[in-house]
């Protein structure tokens, strides 16, 4: 019988868990099959001591080409929303639940984003956990359901808990002190894609959730004094 294909990044994690070592190891990760068609691993980027971490779903077409998270249309909307929420993007750490772009090819030029499967999200999770443990953010903002389900469990629904300040569940097995708080909100691509009059409302809610994350950060700083 053929050996089952390995679907976890766990065995690719390096002994040193600083971000540079993690990124170098992630660049050669073969923990699932997504590396086969993507151009490169897109690891997290930003302030290595950020108090605020933003977690998206997976790199998009532009991110896959440039090798950095949130540099395409969703990233531009995110940058505008962060600015409106009074958050300096340079003091955040931005990453994704899945580190390779998953797509189908429409024609020679166009690649269409495909949602990563639960197996792929779980396979890639060790990188996200290691990033959280290395950066030790005070607040994690999950952008969309994929990121939220990776950290809060497969049953998590944005429609039921958007904007709530939560703790990581025990089952998340993420060991960071002090324990970060987690907020889940829309994915910026969902706002970009929304073509109805609902778009303005979604954007306002999105900015509001980012503002709450910032307020919670300030509250946690005061508590520690
Ligand atoms: N969408 C994401 O979830 N992440 C990115 O980095 C870009 C688009």
């Amino acid at each position: 019988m053929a050996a089952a294909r390995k679907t976890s990044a766990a065995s690719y994690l390096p002994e040193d868990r600083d971000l540079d070592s993690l990124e170098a190891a992630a660049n050669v990760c073969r923990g699932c099959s997504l590396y086969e068609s993507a151009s490169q691993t897109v690891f997290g980027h930003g302030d290595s001591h950020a108090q605020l971490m933003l977690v998206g779903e997976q790199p998009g077409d532009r991110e896959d080409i440039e090798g950095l998270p949130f540099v395409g249309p969703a990233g531009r909307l995110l940058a505008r929303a962060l600015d409106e929420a009074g958050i300096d993007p340079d003091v955040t750490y931005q990453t994704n639940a899945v580190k390779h772009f998953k797509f189908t090819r429409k024609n020679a030029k166009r690649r269409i984003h495909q949602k990563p499967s639960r197996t792929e999200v779980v396979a890639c999770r060790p990188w996200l956990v290691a990033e959280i443990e290395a950066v030790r953010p005070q607040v994690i903002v999950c952008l969309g359901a994929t990121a939220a389900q990776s950290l809060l469990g497969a049953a998590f629904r944005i429609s039921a808990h958007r904007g709530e300040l939560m703790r990581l569940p025990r089952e998340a097995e993420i060991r960071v002190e002090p324990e970060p708080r987690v907020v889940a909100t829309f994915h910026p691509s969902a706002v970009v894609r929304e073509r109805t009059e609902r778009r303005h409302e979604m954007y306002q809610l999105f900015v509001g959730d980012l503002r709450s994350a910032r307020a919670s950060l300030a509250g946690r700083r005061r508590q520690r004094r």
Side-chain angles (χ1 to χ4, degrees), residues 42 56-60 63 68-72 74-75 95-96 143 187-189:
V42 180
E57 181 191 81
Q58 61 164 353
E63 289 79 14
L68 288 170
F70 291 107
V71 289
T95 191
N96 284 297
L143 303 168
H187 192 287
S189 293

Side-chain angles (χ1 to χ4, degrees), residues 99-166:
K99 310 292 193 239
H100 283 107
F101 180 36
K102 181 176 181 182
F103 61 93
T104 50
R105 206 170 261 291
K106 184 155 187 201
N107 53 43
K109 282 205 182 135
R110 278 199 75 195
R111 302 186 298 174
I112 310 290
H113 160 277
Q114 262 199 311
K115 191 176 156 62
S117 68
R118 179 72 190 158
T119 306
E120 289 153 351
V121 173
V122 171
C124 211
R125 196 174 177 277
W127 295 120
L128 178 58
V129 172
E131 285 175 294
I132 294 170
E133 290 177 352
V135 176
R136 300 173 61 235
Q138 301 263 326
V139 177
I140 301 171
V141 179
C142 294
L143 303 168
T146 301
Q149 290 172 357
S150 179
L151 294 179
L152 300 166
F156 183 87
R157 295 288 171 267
I158 298 273
S159 53
H161 300 290
R162 202 208 86 253
E164 287 177 19
L165 203 60
M166 289 165 289

